Structure formats: structure tokens, C-alpha cells
Amino acid sequence: LQVEESAVGLWNWTVTKHTGAVINDEQRAKLRFVACRLICFCEDSDPPEGTIRRQILMSMKTGKGWIDIGKSGLADGFLENAMSSIEKLYTKLRKGSDGEADIQMHRADVEKSLFKVLSYQAESVFAQGDFQKAMMCVQRCKDMLMKLPKETCYLSILCYNFGVETYEWKRYEQSSFWLSQSYDIGKMDMKYSVGKEMQAKVLRLLATTYFEWDCSLYLDKALKAISLANQENLHPAGFFLKVKILLKSGASDEDINSALAEFKHLEMSLDFCLNTAKLLLEHGRESVGFDFLKSVPERFESSPDLGKITLLHIEFLLQNKRELLAKQKIEEVIIGHYTGKQLLPEALNQLHIILWDRAAKHYEEKSYSEALHWYNYSVSFYTPGQIDQNLAKLQRNMASCYLHLKQVDKAKEAVKQAERCDPNSIFTKFSVYKIAVMENDTDKAIEAVIEMGKLAEKPSEHEDKLRMDKNTGSNLLSLAAQIALENDQQIVAIKALEYLSEHLQDCRQLFAALKCLVHLMLSKVTTENAGKRDEGINSIMTYLNLAHKKLAESFTEEKFTGDMRILEAHWFRKVAWNLAVQFKDSPEKMRDFFVLSFKLSQFCPSDKAVLIAQKTCLLMAAAVDLELGRQQVTPSEQMELFSQALQHLQMCKDIWKVLKLTGDFAKDPTDTLLLLYEFEARSKLNDPTLHNLMESVWEQPQIEIKTLEIIASLAMESPARYPVLCKKALKSALNLLRKQAVIDAVKFSKCLHSLINISLPTGLTDLDTCVLQEVWDYFEDALSVVSSTDAYPEMEILWLMTRAWNTGIFQYTVGKYKEAEQWCGLGMRFLNHLGSLKKSYE
């Protein structure tokens, strides 16, 4: 009992809250579901009449609730419960009946509930796509209408709704069945019918269904349905549909005129009449269509929209290639415009569109004079001095026609008018540009391009609304460049392409523009003087840098594939490489182009050819940095150049490691160059890691004498000063020379000369005994080589003799007589090996 009370309480609470819009339909359905389930659990084997009636009501409403929220599958069980409860109720009522009259009364009472349950079941199975079951349920409901005539309207509308849904799903056969049922049911009881307007609506949709299903097969049925609809209730939609069906059937003009006559006195809007005329004319019924169109003004004499009729007339005259008659009509409208019969603004705008479309058609066909004729019609509707954006566009279009006709003065006047109306339009500037190019006025053309470039960056509010897409500015700049090239005006073309490259979003178009710019600028700089040539080269550098930037950004553009990126990167890197090679006389430019070529090559696959190119670019860039650093520049500039060289060398070393894995590079000098360049950069930067670098060098078995000589020289080249490293390099070189089968006396003499010079600086008298002993050994080495070969340079022997003698003299001056005697004696030993100079020094 408590459960039952709770269920009833929940049901009543749900009704109250839904009425107050506290809960939505889905929440109500769920609450009803719970309440109904609880009631079913409490059911007795022989419940009283009131309980059964409550169960019927709750099951029906719960089922209907699920249907209304689109969950028909959940409704079926409750509707079946309702049906079962109705049978129980009927059985119970019959048991308590006193006679036949009483039974009939109870049956009538039960049938009302039965009708509702059947109609709900029809809705449910229809929603689930079961046409046969829905048809059976509706038929049972239909059979009950004799006893329940008041339900006629409800069942007719239910079938109509089924017909609408199946029509929308394009299930025409089912739709025709439901709509026919709706019409038939609506006729069963006129007292409770849906009314003539609704019946006509049903028949119009039925006719439409037959028409769209298969007009050739069901034409008669469609005509019969629409005729019945029009008999039930005359409506413009019925009139229009009948004309449409007749046209599709290929009916004669006479039959169509008869159909039109049926609706002669029907109240219809002007737009409806125009649509009917349009329908007739579109189906090629010119005679009927134009006659009908001529009759329309009589029906709408006081309407301000009469201009629409004229417009439609003009449109169809043009569509049927009756241009002369259309022109007459337009001229009549122009006369009317200045005699108090102006078109409404909307109609006038539509006329302008018609005129412009016709002009554009002639323009495309290159009939420029005829296009001007139609544009002039449009101009006729503007008053002198009027400022209007559309008038500016009109004047620009006329200017284009004049230019094609070589009537430059008229074109200039049209553009002047366009500037007056819309001076800040990119389209107006483009028109100015075209005329300037045609007149070979380079300055004015460039000025116009600059203005176009600015407007492409910040379009005016009006143009932003009008423009067809965001690329309009780019498209115009592209066209401007094309026009300049066609007219052999390279300077103008370059300026247009420069602005274009700043605004293009499409990568393919952008790289095409940059390539064109590079080609144009290269051909331009070859004919210019040095000053102008530098400007051109700087411009090319800018284009290549932009190409590098856009290649880096292109990874986010889907239409620009990886293969496209690689092709573009190869093209631009090769251009940068070729330019670098050409600038041997300009180290800075050569370096910048090599660096740029390297950067661009990073977008290419790392195959052997690309790796070799990258290595070479970086080596050359480092070499240039070092060369520039050797020149007389400020210390800060030197540091910057040497640091930059180190960065290039580090990248080069990384690439070289990878490259060496691809083949045999035994004869390649890259290792040596990397060593020498790095040594120079680090030594001149006073880098503390220099000694660590050299430790690995001394251990190399294959190091060349020449390399050691260069290291020695660089170690003492300002601002570097590393005497210890210099001596070590020279000693290593001398050791290698001694190991030769035939000693190279010339190279030996040079190395020894340098070693003595750095160990025994000129002019020093107070020398450490160890230092003197070290230098004495060098002289002894020299003496042994001099004694063993005649190839030792005589001037070097003389130099050795002189240095030894002078060292002895220096020792004498400081009172070291024994050491003085030894050194002078050493010098005398070299005297015996002099050739032609011996007598002079004896």
C-alpha cells in the first residue's frame, strides 16, 4: 500500500512540476516510467475498477511520453500493458452488467481508451519504420470512427503527419498512402472534419508527392489531386502547382490558359504572380508567359513594386536573346526615372545587376563597345557629381573597356571619376596603374604600385566587405607584375613583385614570385654601375632570405608538399651558391651568400651532394671570416668575426663526420683546413681550450710538414702569441724533415731559421744558460745538415754565421768571455761552408 501511494504521489508531483516547467519532457517521461512500474508491482490478481482505469491512464501516458521524446521502442511495453488492462476492464464491466444496454454503454466507454492506445501504437511503430503495423493500427482506428466520430479530425491529422514525414524521407509510395487516408478519413464525418482548408492542404501535398515520385506515371493522379484541392479551397499554392504539373505534362497553351483563367479572380501577391510568369517563361511558354506578365500590372496598378514586372520582362527578353527589345524597355525605364516614375531602390539595384551582367558578358566576348553601351545605361541612373562606391566600380569597368579600345583619354577620364568617388580603393589604384604602364610613365606606375601595396596591407572597410576573398590584393599585385612584364617595364614589375611577395599566403605563388624577382634583378644588375649594382645584390639577398623564412613556415601548409619544398630549396640554394662564387672580389657578400646557401640546403635531403655543398659553404664562410679578421679592424670586430668563424667550423665538423661515412675522402684536405682554421680562430681569440686542441694534433701520425709550418706561423700572428706552440710545431716539422730519405735543405733551413728567431730574439743579451744551450743545439743541427749537403741555401748559411757571431759579441759585451769565444768559434765554422761570399767575410 505504501509503494502504491508513493507511486501515485510521484505521478502527481510529476504532473505538477511539468505544468510549472520545472522539469523537461525527458525527465517527465523517466519519472512517469518509475511511477508506472511501481504501480504494476502492486497489482492484485483482481484489482478494483478504479485501479484498472488508473493503470490504463498511466500506461498510455507513459508510452506516449516515450514517443514524444523520440524513444518509441520504450513505449511498446507500456502500450501493450494498457491494451491488456483495457481487456481486464471490459471483462470486469461485463460481469457487473444488468443487460445489453448496460454492456453497450461499457463497450463505448472502453472503446475510447482502445482508440487512443491504437493511435499511440500507430505512432510508435511508424517511428520505428514498421509501415505494415502502423497501417493495421490506423485501419482499426478508422473502423472505430463510426462509433467515435469526434476522433475523425485527430486521426486525419495523424495520417497527414505520417504523410509529411514519409514525403520528407522521399518514401513517396508510403506518403501517398498516408495522405490518401488522411483525405478519406477527413470526408467520413463532415461535422467533425478537419475543414476544407486542411483537406485542400492534404491534397496539395498528395499531388506534389505524385509529381515528384514519377510525374510521367502518376500525372493523372497528380492532376486529379490538385483539381480536388482547388475545389476544396482555392489557394495560390494550388494554382501554382497545377500550372507546374500541366507544364511538366506538356499540356497545350490553351489548357494552361484555361488553368490561369480559373484563378483570375483569386487574391494573389505580386511576387506570386511574378513567380508564375517566371515559371511559364522558364518552360519556354513565351506567348502565355508574356501575356500573363502583361496582365499583371492591371491587378497591381497602385503597387509601388510595379518595377519588378518590368525587370522580369527585361530579364526574359535577354534570356531569349531579344536584346533590342530589352534595350527599348531599359530606355523606357530611364525616361521614367527622369519623369517621376522611378523604380524603388531595391528594383533599381536589381536593374543595375542585370545591366552589369550583360556588360560583363560582352566584355568576356571582347565586344568592348557593346559592353560600354550597357555600362552607360547604368551610368544614366546616377546624377552628375554623385559620390557612390558602385559608381566608382562602374567607372573602373568602363576604363578597362576604353583601354582595350585604345581610347586612353576616355579611360583616364573614367578613372578620374572613379578616384573622385572612391580614392582609397585598391581597384581604383590598379586602374591608375594600368594607364601609367600603357603610357610608359614608370614613376606614376611605381607610385600606384606602392599605394596598392599599402592598401593590400590595410584594406578599406568597404572593400573588405566587397572583396570575394582575402587574396584580392595579392591577385591584383600579381596582375600588375604581369602587365608590367608584358609591357617590358622591368623596374615596375620588380616593385609589384616585391609588394606581392610580402602579401602572398599561397607558398607556390610566393616562390614563383620570388624566382621571378631573382631573375629580373639578376638581369638588371648586369647592366648597372657599381653603386646601383650593390643595391640590386642587396635586394637579391633580401629575396633569398624571404625564401628561407617562407620555407621554414611552409611546414604548416597542407597544399605545399614536402617534394615541392625540396625543389624550391634546391633552386634557391643553387642561386645563392652561384652568386657567392661570383663575388670573389667582395668577401663579405661571398660569405653571406655561402651562409645563405647552407641555410637553404637544410630543407633538402642530406644526400652526399648536399652534404658536400654544405661543408664547402661553411668552410668558405669561415675562411672569409678569418680573412676579414686579419685585416685592420677594431678588436671587438675581430672577436666577432673569429667567433663567427668558430660557429661555422663547428657546424662544418658535424657535417664532415657524417660525410666521411659515405665514401673514401683520403685525399680530401678538409681535415687539414678545419684544423688550421680552428687553430687560427681559437689562437686569436686567446681561447683556453687551444692547448687541448693541439694535444690531439701532436699525436697525429699523418700530419704534414706544411701544416706544422702554418701552425707555427699562425701561433705568432697578431693578436695571437703562443711561442711554446710555435716552437713545438717547428720542432715537429724539423723531426719530419730529418726522417726524409733525402732531406729538403731549403725547407729545413726555413724551419730552423724560424725556430732560432723565436728562441733567440734579436737584441737580448741577458739570456738564460738553458736557452743558449737549446739554441746552440739548433746551430749544431744546422751545421750537420750544411756539412752533409750542398743544397743548403748560402744566404741561410750566412744568416746562421752572422747570428752565431753576433751572439758571441753580445756575450763579450757582458763579460762572458768564454761563452763569447764559443759562439764566435761556432760562427767561424759556418764560414767554411760559404761559397762565393766566403772571401768577403774572411
Side-chain angles (χ1 to χ4, degrees):
L1 187 62
Q2 284 182 339
V3 172
E4 187 176 356
E5 286 177 359
S6 298
V8 171
L10 177 61
W11 183 275
N12 293 336
W13 182 86
T14 303
V15 171
T16 306
K17 294 301 177 184
H18 187 264
T19 305
V22 175
I23 57 173
N24 59 33
D25 290 344
E26 186 171 359
Q27 290 169 331
R28 178 177 67 164
K30 288 177 178 178
L31 290 167
R32 279 180 169 179
F33 169 83
V34 173
C36 194
R37 280 287 189 206
L38 289 171
I39 287 292
C40 291
F41 291 146
C42 302
E43 187 178 349
D44 294 332
S45 56
D46 185 23
E49 179 187 335
T51 301
I52 298 172
R53 287 184 183 277
R54 186 175 61 199
Q55 285 178 345
I56 293 168
L57 176 70
M58 291 175 77
S59 295
M60 275 197 305
K61 286 189 175 290
T62 302
K64 178 63 172 166
W66 286 126
I67 293 168
D68 290 343
I69 65 168
K71 296 183 178 180
S72 302
L74 296 173
D76 292 344
F78 292 96
L79 296 175
E80 286 169 12
N81 286 343
M83 192 67 80
S84 175
S85 296
I86 288 168
E87 289 174 6
K88 284 182 186 178
L89 178 63
Y90 184 58
T91 303
K92 194 170 192 68
L93 290 171
R94 282 196 65 167
K95 283 180 182 178
S97 300
D98 293 334
E100 186 64 29
D102 208 9
I103 291 170
Q104 291 300 324
M105 184 184 71
H106 291 316
R107 181 180 292 170
D109 181 30
V110 169
E111 281 179 342
K112 288 179 184 178
S113 297
L114 180 62
F115 181 90
K116 276 198 173 183
V117 173
L118 285 168
S119 68
Y120 292 165
Q121 284 183 324
E123 278 190 77
S124 178
V125 292
F126 174 83
Q128 295 173 63
D130 195 333
F131 173 66
Q132 291 298 326
K133 280 189 180 178
M135 189 171 65
M136 288 168 58
C137 292
V138 169
Q139 186 59 48
R140 287 186 66 185
C141 289
K142 189 176 176 183
D143 294 340
M144 297 170 71
L145 285 177
M146 294 297 290
K147 295 177 182 178
L148 300 168
K150 289 182 180 179
E151 301 296 339
T152 301
C153 180
Y154 168 77
L155 190 60
S156 176
I157 289 172
L158 181 67
C159 289
Y160 172 73
N161 290 338
F162 289 171
V164 170
E165 285 194 49
T166 46
Y167 169 77
E168 288 172 350
W169 298 336
K170 300 193 184 300
R171 297 176 187 170
Y172 296 120
E173 186 175 2
Q174 291 182 22
S175 180
S176 64
F177 170 80
W178 291 119
L179 293 168
S180 297
Q181 286 291 310
S182 177
Y183 176 65
D184 290 343
I185 290 166
K187 291 192 299 179
M188 287 177 68
D189 192 309
M190 300 309 294
K191 184 178 177 183
Y192 298 107
S193 172
V194 290
K196 288 182 175 294
E197 287 186 9
M198 186 64 197
Q199 285 288 72
K201 188 177 180 181
V202 171
L203 288 165
R204 284 197 297 273
L205 184 55
L206 179 59
T208 303
T209 301
Y210 284 130
F211 181 75
E212 293 185 13
W213 184 7
D214 189 336
C215 190
S216 58
L217 193 60
Y218 298 106
L219 180 64
D220 291 340
K221 287 188 175 183
L223 275 171
K224 184 180 177 183
I226 197 61
S227 297
L228 281 171
N230 291 336
Q231 287 171 21
E232 290 281 350
N233 179 51
L234 277 176
H235 190 278
F239 159 65
F240 191 80
L241 184 56
K242 185 170 184 179
V243 172
K244 198 174 177 181
I245 294 168
L246 286 170
L247 288 169
K248 187 75 175 179
S249 71
S252 64
D253 285 359
E254 188 178 350
D255 288 339
I256 293 169
N257 273 321
S258 298
L260 294 171
E262 291 175 22
F263 294 85
K264 193 171 183 180
H265 303 293
L266 182 66
E267 196 70 35
M268 291 187 288
S269 69
L270 174 59
D271 285 339
F272 195 86
C273 290
L274 291 177
N275 286 335
T276 304
K278 194 181 290 187
L279 179 69
L280 293 165
L281 292 167
E282 283 173 350
H283 281 80
R285 302 302 180 98
E286 292 179 27
S287 175
V288 180
F290 281 123
D291 285 345
F292 181 76
L293 197 59
K294 287 173 186 174
S295 71
V296 174
E298 298 171 14
R299 305 182 67 171
F300 300 96
E301 286 179 341
S302 59
S303 172
D305 273 342
L306 280 176
K308 288 183 178 181
I309 304 168
T310 307
L311 288 184
L312 186 62
H313 204 149
I314 292 167
E315 276 188 77
F316 277 97
L317 285 171
L318 291 172
Q319 282 179 22
N320 290 283
K321 299 182 179 177
R322 298 184 182 181
E323 208 166 85
L324 190 59
L325 286 172
K327 284 181 177 179
Q328 289 175 0
K329 275 279 179 191
I330 292 162
E331 286 162 10
E332 288 173 14
V333 174
I334 293 169
I335 292 167
H337 184 76
Y338 291 100
T339 55
K341 295 180 181 178
Q342 288 95 346
L343 296 175
L344 289 177
E346 187 182 343
L348 183 56
N349 284 340
Q350 187 60 35
L351 179 58
H352 279 302
I353 290 168
I354 293 168
L355 296 172
W356 286 27
D357 284 347
R358 181 55 45 167
K361 181 175 177 291
H362 284 295
Y363 186 90
E364 287 169 10
E365 294 169 354
K366 299 185 178 179
S367 302
Y368 303 115
S369 296
E370 193 60 29
L372 280 167
H373 195 85
W374 288 92
Y375 281 132
N376 276 316
Y377 278 148
S378 186
V379 171
S380 301
F381 291 98
Y382 290 96
T383 56
Q386 186 175 347
I387 303 292
D388 188 276
Q389 299 276 0
N390 287 326
L391 180 58
K393 186 176 180 181
L394 180 57
Q395 293 288 359
R396 290 195 296 266
N397 292 346
M398 292 178 73
S400 294
C401 293
Y402 285 129
L403 287 175
H404 281 293
L405 294 168
K406 307 298 181 187
Q407 297 176 12
V408 179
D409 288 340
K410 288 185 177 180
K412 287 169 80 171
E413 181 57 35
V415 170
K416 187 177 177 183
Q417 292 299 321
E419 285 188 289
R420 183 180 61 81
C421 293
D422 194 5
N424 296 319
S425 163
I426 192 170
F427 298 103
T428 303
K429 299 300 178 188
F430 181 66
S431 297
V432 172
Y433 169 82
K434 285 195 290 185
I435 293 171
V437 170
M438 187 171 275
E439 293 185 319
N440 287 320
D441 190 339
T442 302
D443 291 339
K444 193 166 186 179
I446 289 175
E447 184 185 332
V449 165
I450 292 168
E451 291 295 323
M452 286 169 66
K454 289 177 183 176
L455 290 167
E457 256 179 52
K458 296 179 182 178
S460 69
E461 283 183 27
H462 179 76
E463 277 187 359
D464 202 45
K465 291 174 189 171
L466 280 183
R467 58 180 48 201
M468 292 176 69
D469 58 59
K470 60 183 179 182
N471 297 321
T472 302
S474 299
N475 293 340
L476 285 175
L477 286 166
S478 180
L479 193 54
Q482 184 181 330
I483 291 168
L485 290 171
E486 287 170 357
N487 287 271
D488 200 27
Q489 295 191 25
Q490 285 193 2
I491 297 172
V492 179
I494 287 169
K495 184 60 70 176
L497 286 166
E498 284 177 344
Y499 274 104
L500 178 63
S501 62
E502 291 175 15
H503 299 292
L504 274 172
Q505 299 299 318
D506 185 282
C507 282
R508 283 175 292 186
Q509 293 180 8
L510 170 65
F511 290 123
L514 287 173
K515 283 179 180 178
C516 192
L517 271 172
V518 170
H519 280 305
L520 287 171
M521 194 58 80
L522 282 172
S523 62
K524 182 171 174 278
V525 296
T526 54
T527 59
E528 291 181 331
N529 58 40
K532 288 282 186 181
R533 190 166 179 264
D534 283 345
E535 286 180 22
I537 295 303
N538 290 336
S539 295
I540 294 173
M541 179 69 77
T542 302
Y543 307 152
L544 294 176
N545 274 313
L546 181 57
H548 176 263
K549 180 187 173 190
K550 294 299 180 181
L551 281 168
E553 293 171 357
S554 69
F555 287 92
T556 57
E557 187 169 326
E558 290 180 13
K559 292 180 182 177
F560 194 68
T561 64
D563 288 342
M564 291 177 185
R565 187 181 302 108
I566 290 165
L567 284 172
E568 299 297 354
H570 273 306
W571 193 90
F572 286 106
R573 82 170 179 85
K574 288 174 182 176
V575 168
W577 174 281
N578 291 333
L579 285 166
V581 171
Q582 290 176 29
F583 281 102
K584 292 178 182 177
D585 298 332
S586 180
E588 287 186 31
K589 285 189 174 63
M590 181 169 73
R591 176 202 57 197
D592 292 344
F593 280 118
F594 271 131
V595 170
L596 195 46
S597 182
F598 165 73
K599 287 181 180 178
L600 289 162
S601 71
Q602 290 179 303
F603 297 105
C604 303
S606 296
D607 56 30
K608 189 173 180 179
V610 170
L611 288 171
I612 290 171
Q614 289 180 336
K615 179 207 72 171
T616 308
C617 285
L618 291 168
L619 269 179
M620 293 300 296
V624 172
D625 283 330
L626 293 171
E627 178 61 34
L628 292 171
R630 291 183 204 115
Q631 295 170 8
Q632 291 184 350
V633 291
T634 63
S636 62
E637 287 174 330
Q638 270 190 330
M639 295 303 102
E640 186 179 343
L641 286 164
F642 294 142
S643 298
Q644 194 168 271
L646 269 182
Q647 290 172 12
H648 293 147
L649 290 167
Q650 187 54 56
M651 288 188 286
C652 187
K653 282 166 75 175
D654 294 338
I655 291 165
W656 180 232
K657 284 177 188 174
V658 177
L659 187 56
K660 282 196 286 190
L661 300 173
T662 65
D664 182 14
F665 291 91
K667 297 180 180 179
D668 193 294
T670 300
D671 278 319
T672 302
L673 291 172
L674 283 170
L675 170 61
L676 293 173
Y677 290 169
E678 187 175 359
F679 179 82
E680 180 175 0
R682 290 192 185 281
S683 65
K684 290 178 178 176
L685 284 168
N686 197 21
D687 191 324
T689 65
L690 183 63
H691 289 283
N692 294 336
L693 170 70
M694 295 313 294
E695 285 304 318
S696 61
V697 173
W698 309 136
E699 295 168 7
Q700 291 179 17
Q702 303 298 325
I703 193 162
E704 295 180 359
I705 296 166
K706 182 68 176 173
T707 305
L708 291 166
E709 288 175 342
I710 295 171
I711 288 173
S713 173
L714 292 172
M716 299 302 289
E717 189 177 275
S718 181
R721 183 163 180 81
Y722 290 90
V724 174
L725 289 178
C726 176
K727 286 165 68 174
K728 195 161 187 175
L730 291 170
K731 286 177 183 179
S732 297
L734 287 169
N735 287 336
L736 290 174
L737 284 166
R738 287 193 196 95
K739 290 175 183 178
Q740 291 176 340
V742 178
I743 197 165
D744 187 332
V746 175
K747 280 190 176 180
F748 188 90
S749 68
K750 287 182 179 177
C751 282
L752 198 64
H753 187 129
S754 299
L755 187 56
I756 291 169
N757 256 347
I758 198 165
S759 303
L760 189 66
T762 306
L764 291 181
T765 56
D766 188 16
L767 289 169
D768 189 87
T769 305
C770 294
V771 173
L772 283 172
Q773 184 57 52
E774 180 188 338
V775 177
W776 180 277
D777 292 341
Y778 301 153
F779 277 94
E780 288 287 358
D781 282 347
L783 199 56
S784 65
V785 175
V786 170
S787 302
S788 64
T789 179
D790 295 330
Y792 208 96
E794 188 177 16
M795 292 307 294
E796 285 299 320
I797 297 172
L798 176 62
W799 181 83
L800 287 165
M801 182 193 76
T802 307
R803 283 306 305 266
W805 181 268
N806 288 340
T807 302
I809 298 300
F810 288 144
Q811 296 300 310
Y812 181 83
T813 59
V814 295
K816 294 182 178 181
Y817 304 117
K818 184 180 177 182
E819 288 84 350
E821 181 184 0
Q822 289 172 345
W823 280 97
C824 288
L826 181 61
M828 295 293 290
R829 290 162 67 188
F830 283 101
L831 180 64
N832 296 327
H833 296 284
L834 286 175
S836 58
L837 297 171
K838 184 177 179 182
K839 287 184 179 181
S840 301
Y841 285 91
E842 276 181 332

